[in-house]
Amino acid sequence: VSPVWDHCCHVAGSHEHSTFSLSVFDSDFAGPEADWLGSATLPANATGVHTLPLQGGMALPTSTLTVELVPPSPPANPIELRA
């Protein structure tokens, strides 16, 4: 089974020494609580596609999380400063 969640979010204000901590849960409606499948971390200044091992939780030892980080787009209408 290779689930694809395609969840997208926007994060702002990261510091060069920050990390993103991602936790994955499975909610299958079999009970009132979601199962924690595992967690992964990566540097906040990373870009590109990263396949990270899920650690801890109930995931299989070979479970991974693929994350794509893209730099923010420039403003739509840049402000021109004149001296």
Side-chain angles (χ1 to χ4, degrees):
V1 177
S2 297
V4 176
W5 287 286
D6 285 339
H7 181 77
C8 182
C9 65
H10 299 276
V11 178
S14 64
H15 184 271
E16 66 180 282
H17 300 293
S18 297
T19 59
F20 291 124
S21 296
L22 308 164
S23 292
V24 178
F25 294 85
D26 177 22
S27 180
D28 55 13
F29 303 107
E33 295 184 21
D35 298 322
W36 176 51
L37 299 179
S39 297
T41 60
L42 74 157
N45 62 353
T47 58
V49 177
H50 302 269
T51 299
L52 310 167
L54 285 178
Q55 299 177 343
M58 301 175 68
L60 297 173
T62 58
S63 296
T64 59
L65 172 66
T66 302
V67 178
E68 181 177 9
L69 298 175
V70 294
S73 301
N77 296 314
I79 299 172
E80 184 177 323
L81 301 176
R82 297 180 187 195

